[in-house]
């Protein structure tokens, strides 16, 4: 079974530029997550989709971050304009449905590493 | 709201020695508990999880964790570590509550196994 795919793996941009990350979840997984992992910290949820609808975006900095999941499959996370403090790994993850119910593990991609200079 | 505290940011240990990585959580509702492992330059991988039943859960590579409800802890242990266990370990919780739930992570513990 193919895992969660993310691209690009690495990106270096200057502050105030824009960047976009793409994620393709495991086939059939209804729930898709974007997490931000800053060096030395645990991952923090930015946004959670159920199919193509947003169910939690309470920690997404909406003035600069946006995300979409058209057609309920793959997703794009965009940052515009980027700030130095956005330097982090952006992890995409997916699950069949509600976490904690039998079999509904969250699976993570390898991450997209962003450096803002 | 839920929170997770991992008491040690770094744990150095010699190969074949035992190790314990500590995790405490805070929650007003019951939670499911997880340990994830992150090897260098890789994504997070599920190591083990507690959903219900026996409070002692095991992974396929020799790790175990015990859920202690009274102490709100879910410490991870291994009786004999290998060099290949060097990685960052994250404890996480998700609440039982209805709706679409999510993982809330601790800050992580970096395990460094030395020969």
């Amino acid at each position: 079974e193919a895992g969660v795919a993310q691209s690009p793996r690495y990106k270096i941009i200057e502050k105030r530029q824009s960047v976009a990350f793409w994620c393709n979840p495991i086939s059939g997984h209804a729930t898709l997550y974007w997490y931000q992992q800053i060096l030395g910290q645990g991952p923090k949820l930015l946004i959670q989709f159920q199919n193509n609808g947003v169910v939690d975006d309470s920690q997404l900095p909406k003035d600069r971050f946006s995300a979409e999941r058209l057609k309920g499959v793959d997703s794009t996370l965009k940052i515009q304009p980027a700030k130095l403090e956005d330097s982090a790994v952006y992890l995409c993850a997916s699950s069949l449905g509600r976490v904690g119910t039998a079999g509904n593990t969250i699976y993570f991609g390898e991450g997209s590493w962003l450096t803002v200079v | 709201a839920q929170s997770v505290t991992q008491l040690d940011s770094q744990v150095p240990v010699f190969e074949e020695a035992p190790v314990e990585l500590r995790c405490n959580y805070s929650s007003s509702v019951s939670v499911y508990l997880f340990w994830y492992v992150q090897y260098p330059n890789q994504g997070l991988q599920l190591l083990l999880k507690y959903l219900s039943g026996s409070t002692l859960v095991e992974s396929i590579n020799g790790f175990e964790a015990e859920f202690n409800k009274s102490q709100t802890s879910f410490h991870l242990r291994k009786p004999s570590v290998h060099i290949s266990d060097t990685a960052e370990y994250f404890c996480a919780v998700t609440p039982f509550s209805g709706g679409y739930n999510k993982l809330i992570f601790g800050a992580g513990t970096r395990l460094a196994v030395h020969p």
Side-chain angles (χ1 to χ4, degrees):
Chain A
E1 175 180 89
V4 178
Q6 291 188 246
S7 67
R9 286 296 313 277
Y10 304 95
K11 191 76 176 179
I12 301 174
I13 61 172
E14 294 183 350
K15 59 184 180 183
R16 292 187 290 276
Q17 286 186 325
S18 63
V19 63
F21 301 113
W22 174 83
C23 172
N24 190 25
I26 293 172
S27 178
H29 281 195
T31 309
L32 185 146
Y33 312 79
W34 282 102
Y35 279 83
Q36 180 192 56
Q37 186 180 13
I38 293 173
L39 186 66
Q41 299 180 20
K44 181 186 81 172
L45 181 70
L46 292 176
I47 190 167
Q48 178 179 348
F49 292 94
Q50 182 70 15
N51 296 308
N52 60 352
V54 175
V55 296
D56 187 345
D57 64 356
S58 57
Q59 296 194 84
L60 186 74
K62 298 180 185 64
D63 58 334
R64 297 183 301 105
F65 285 65
S66 64
E68 60 183 12
R69 190 184 184 196
L70 300 176
K71 301 180 182 178
V73 182
D74 56 355
S75 175
T76 303
L77 176 70
K78 296 179 181 177
I79 307 173
Q80 182 179 15
K83 292 185 175 181
L84 296 177
E85 59 260 37
D86 298 332
S87 294
V89 181
Y90 291 86
L91 296 166
C92 181
S94 70
S95 68
L96 276 171
R98 288 177 53 197
V99 176
T101 48
N104 283 351
T105 298
I106 292 184
Y107 296 90
F108 286 81
E110 293 189 323
S112 292
W113 298 66
L114 174 66
T115 301
V116 183
V117 297
Chain B
Q2 292 76 38
S3 66
V4 178
T5 302
Q6 291 186 244
L7 297 163
D8 306 293
S9 60
Q10 296 186 61
V11 173
V13 64
F14 287 109
E15 195 173 18
E16 298 183 4
V19 70
E20 178 179 79
L21 307 183
R22 297 179 292 169
C23 172
N24 287 92
Y25 69 92
S26 173
S27 177
S28 56
V29 301
S30 297
V31 295
Y32 299 115
L33 297 132
F34 305 81
W35 277 98
Y36 277 79
V37 58
Q38 188 174 35
Y39 298 103
N41 298 319
Q42 295 187 26
L44 293 158
Q45 302 173 33
L46 179 67
L47 188 60
L48 48 75
K49 60 184 175 183
Y50 172 76
L51 304 182
S52 63
S54 172
T55 57
L56 184 65
V57 291
E58 298 177 354
S59 72
I60 58 173
N61 57 354
F63 282 94
E64 64 179 30
E66 185 159 20
F67 170 51
N68 187 318
K69 188 174 182 180
S70 62
Q71 297 185 3
T72 60
S73 68
F74 191 53
H75 301 331
L76 181 69
R77 302 183 183 95
K78 190 170 185 180
S80 176
V81 294
H82 303 288
I83 296 288
S84 59
D85 293 324
T86 294
E88 185 124 26
Y89 292 80
F90 292 94
C91 182
V93 302
T94 190
F96 275 17
S97 61
Y100 302 101
N101 45 15
K102 62 191 180 187
L103 284 173
I104 298 156
F105 287 90
T109 297
R110 185 170 299 276
L111 176 64
V113 182
H114 302 284

